[in-house]
Amino acid sequence: MPAQSLRDLWDPSPPPPEDWELEEEAIRREWEYDRIVNEEIDVYGLKWYEVKWRDWHRNDATRTNTTWQRTLNDGNDGRAQKEWDRKRANDRAKKAKESPDVKVGIEAGQPWHEDATVEMQDAYEEKLAERRRRGPRDYANWDAIQHITQTVRDSSSDEGDRSRSIESTTLSHGRTSQRRLLRPGSQHHDPPPQSHPQKKRNPYKEIEARWLQATKRAHAAPVYIVPESSAQDVPPGLEDLEYCEQHYVRTEGVSPPLPDLLVGCDCQTGCKSAKRCDCQHESAVINEASERRFAYNKEGIFKFILPAGGVVIECNSVCTCPTTCQNRIAQQPRDVPMEVFYAGDHGWGVCTRVDLSVGKVLGVYTGKLIHRQDAEDLSDEHRSYIFDLDVQEMDHEDDSVQHYSVDSLHHGNWSRFINHSCDPNTKVYPVVWDTVIEQNQPYLAFVVTKNITAGMELTIDYNPREAIMQQMGKSKGKTRVPEGAKPCMCGTEKCRGWVMV
């Protein structure tokens, strides 16, 4: 894949196992931490914490007792980590108040891939915000200047000594500029302006910069764009795309979330049993004994026990459980860095920059939420960016029931680039947390169905019902192509030869 070579230079190697990961007794032991001592941002934009441990050190010459952790499970709802983040945020805000000036360029001896960490430590974002807040007031006294006139000789004149003045302008901030003023009769001419080649615009860098800002605001991992070349045509809707990491943009007439209808649980330290959670009363996730179960295990891995037509119900804003609850997974900020790349004959595709295991939840499909009848009136090209929220729809339903679709042509995120495959490595499942099931506005979450290596293209089956029919021996197969279908180019052994887009 063309994108792969761009990642090789700074792709981090896995760290060697620590002592507690090698010895069985150490694995079972609960290690007590002392405090967080440092933080950094890695090449994927993810924050890591350096944690100092009590009663443990490395059995080598260094005898160091710190490790780098993504999260700190302190048994106290992550309060130590939150307190560290709060203090660092206050320190950066104070630094920005003292001076909004930012450093330009890489520090001496600083590896370029540590740029994000240096910017964070120097309160780069906070200083930019402070500069915007102050507005143009730094230049309010621009016209309150002192004029110093100095006479100099112009030796190039053939009419004797002609003089000109240099007016020195002292600004309120102590900076000095110089402007040439010609006296009457002077023959001095300014040299013609030099022409400089105009830097060619790279629309992909501009789009990527906007996306990185949007993902940063959503506390999500970054999304990069890797075209075949900067001169490549920008695909439809991409240049003016409103990036929505984890929310819908509702068109006029689409009902918003109704928090008054939400039912919450009263778990205080995290949900332990779906049977005891009030928010799970309507859950379709059950075991063989018809007992309610969570859709995820304690590590946040999807368990693939959701029946066809079912919807995962995650804990919501009314629930009292913490954000670290095992039933709050799809709603969490995406922690997998994505890369949108040009995939040749397949158009544009998306891959990850890290290895992924089965059951890993990647994020949700977003865009503009529209009524189904409006989606059906769109052009065929526009329809290729439509995802129908039809998981619970039945053939004979009351006309009063509202049905919706997600339009990702001008609103959406990385997921709009996932291509079709008849043998995919991801699938989608419906999940709600800010609406009730009856509103028919679930999110569609992507989950890994096969182990994926970094750089491998992510795919889904655009016609999952056909895949189920194929398993049951009732598929149309390659001989009976449905009306309106297009030739499939996935190239897998299970290719049906057609795809409905």
Side-chain angles (χ1 to χ4, degrees):
M1 180 175 297
Q4 182 66 39
S5 61
L6 300 177
R7 297 188 292 269
D8 292 340
L9 184 58
W10 292 110
D11 202 22
S13 301
E18 299 290 359
D19 299 340
W20 61 56
E21 297 175 301
L22 296 174
E23 301 175 10
E24 184 176 352
E25 182 179 352
I27 293 175
R28 292 196 301 266
R29 176 178 174 181
E30 291 187 1
W31 296 89
E32 186 177 2
Y33 77 96
D34 184 11
R35 64 184 185 276
I36 300 175
V37 297
N38 200 2
E39 63 183 357
E40 70 173 24
I41 306 295
D42 66 14
V43 293
Y44 299 134
L46 304 178
K47 181 184 287 189
W48 291 79
Y49 300 90
E50 186 177 12
V51 179
K52 183 178 180 181
W53 299 91
R54 296 176 182 171
D55 302 325
W56 175 86
H57 58 76
R58 291 182 176 84
N59 295 320
D60 56 17
T62 66
R63 308 289 288 180
T64 54
N65 63 344
T66 63
T67 61
W68 288 94
Q69 312 286 135
R70 279 278 292 125
T71 57
L72 182 60
N73 297 322
D74 58 1
N76 197 19
D77 194 21
R79 289 187 180 178
Q81 183 175 321
K82 294 176 183 177
E83 182 65 14
W84 169 272
D85 288 339
R86 186 187 64 80
K87 289 182 178 180
R88 298 291 81 73
N90 290 340
D91 291 343
R92 291 193 295 270
K94 182 179 179 181
K95 185 179 292 187
K97 291 285 186 182
E98 293 173 351
S99 171
D101 295 340
V102 297
K103 298 176 182 178
V104 177
I106 296 179
E107 297 284 338
Q110 172 204 329
W112 69 265
H113 62 282
E114 293 181 358
D115 194 43
T117 300
V118 174
E119 286 184 355
M120 177 182 65
Q121 293 172 346
D122 195 41
Y124 182 81
E125 290 293 330
E126 290 79 4
K127 288 182 176 181
L128 289 182
E130 177 66 17
R131 180 70 74 179
R132 296 189 190 100
R133 188 187 68 80
R134 293 187 182 186
R137 73 182 187 187
D138 284 349
Y139 308 99
N141 297 323
W142 184 268
D143 293 328
I145 56 178
Q146 298 174 353
H147 304 282
I148 304 173
T149 302
Q150 168 187 352
T151 301
V152 297
R153 298 293 182 184
D154 188 351
S155 59
S156 63
S157 171
D158 56 3
E159 297 184 13
D161 292 339
R162 293 239 178 112
S163 63
R164 67 181 185 272
S165 71
I166 297 179
E167 184 180 35
S168 179
T169 306
T170 303
L171 306 179
S172 59
H173 295 283
R175 295 187 294 270
T176 301
S177 67
Q178 291 186 337
R179 298 182 297 183
R180 285 189 174 184
L181 298 179
L182 299 181
R183 291 190 181 279
S186 171
Q187 300 298 312
H188 178 81
H189 297 282
D190 287 332
Q194 295 182 357
S195 61
H196 298 282
Q198 188 174 2
K199 188 176 181 180
K200 193 171 183 181
R201 174 175 174 262
N202 186 339
Y204 292 102
K205 287 297 181 184
E206 297 173 6
I207 297 168
E208 183 182 85
R210 294 199 301 269
W211 289 11
L212 291 175
Q213 286 295 322
T215 55
K216 196 170 186 178
R217 287 193 297 268
H219 305 288
V223 177
Y224 304 96
I225 305 177
V226 182
E228 191 174 39
S229 72
S230 60
Q232 186 176 352
D233 291 338
V234 178
L238 184 59
E239 195 151 10
D240 61 348
L241 179 75
E242 180 180 333
Y243 191 92
C244 310
E245 174 62 36
Q246 206 174 24
H247 65 275
Y248 289 139
V249 175
R250 285 170 168 79
T251 192
E252 185 177 356
V254 174
S255 60
L258 303 173
D260 292 342
L261 299 181
L262 297 175
V263 177
C265 64
D266 57 0
C267 306
Q268 298 295 325
T269 60
C271 299
K272 302 294 192 297
S273 172
K275 294 185 295 184
R276 300 187 180 93
C277 289
D278 293 338
C279 62
Q280 298 299 300
H281 279 326
E282 296 186 38
S283 175
V285 183
I286 57 177
N287 61 9
E288 295 178 353
S290 297
E291 298 173 327
R292 291 195 301 273
R293 289 289 184 265
F294 290 127
Y296 316 99
N297 65 17
K298 293 181 179 180
E299 286 72 42
I301 300 300
F302 189 70
K303 295 192 292 189
F304 297 97
I305 57 175
L306 179 69
V311 178
V312 173
I313 303 175
E314 292 194 358
C315 291
N316 55 65
S317 59
V318 182
C319 297
T320 59
C321 57
T323 57
T324 54
C325 172
Q326 77 174 80
N327 195 40
R328 296 180 184 265
I329 302 302
Q331 62 187 270
Q332 294 294 336
R334 174 179 48 82
D335 60 359
V336 176
M338 296 293 180
E339 185 173 289
V340 175
F341 67 98
Y342 184 66
D345 293 340
H346 294 176
W348 289 79
V350 62
C351 65
T352 74
R353 293 192 166 194
V354 295
D355 296 342
L356 301 172
S357 300
V358 173
K360 172 64 178 175
V361 178
L362 303 179
V364 296
Y365 191 84
T366 65
K368 178 181 284 188
L369 199 61
I370 63 176
H371 289 101
R372 180 68 51 76
Q373 58 266 32
D374 295 335
E376 293 172 352
D377 294 336
L378 298 173
S379 66
D380 289 343
E381 182 179 1
H382 196 152
R383 281 283 305 172
S384 64
Y385 293 93
I386 299 295
F387 214 136
D388 293 334
L389 301 181
D390 56 0
V391 64
Q392 285 196 302
E393 293 180 12
M394 295 179 287
D395 294 335
H396 305 288
E397 277 190 329
D398 191 329
D399 293 339
S400 64
V401 178
Q402 293 290 331
H403 299 307
Y404 303 98
S405 298
V406 184
D407 179 1
S408 65
L409 179 58
H410 297 293
H411 305 76
N413 60 15
W414 56 272
S415 61
R416 74 193 289 273
F417 298 96
I418 294 185
N419 284 321
H420 163 80
S421 174
C422 297
D423 189 16
N425 51 24
T426 72
K427 65 178 294 185
V428 296
Y429 66 91
V431 55
V432 295
W433 65 81
D434 59 0
T435 63
V436 294
I437 293 179
E438 290 76 14
Q439 280 191 267
N440 288 329
Q441 298 179 9
Y443 291 103
L444 298 177
F446 292 83
V447 60
V448 176
T449 57
K450 300 178 181 179
N451 290 334
I452 297 174
T453 57
M456 182 182 295
E457 182 178 1
L458 302 179
T459 57
I460 61 170
D461 192 336
Y462 286 4
N463 312 115
R465 292 180 180 177
E466 184 63 25
I468 296 175
M469 297 294 287
Q470 196 170 23
Q471 294 175 356
M472 298 172 60
K474 300 179 181 180
S475 170
K476 300 180 186 302
K478 294 186 178 182
T479 56
R480 296 177 56 192
V481 179
E483 182 180 355
K486 296 182 179 181
C488 179
M489 302 178 64
C490 72
T492 64
E493 293 182 359
K494 297 182 180 180
C495 181
R496 295 188 289 268
W498 57 269
V499 59
M500 294 292 294
V501 180

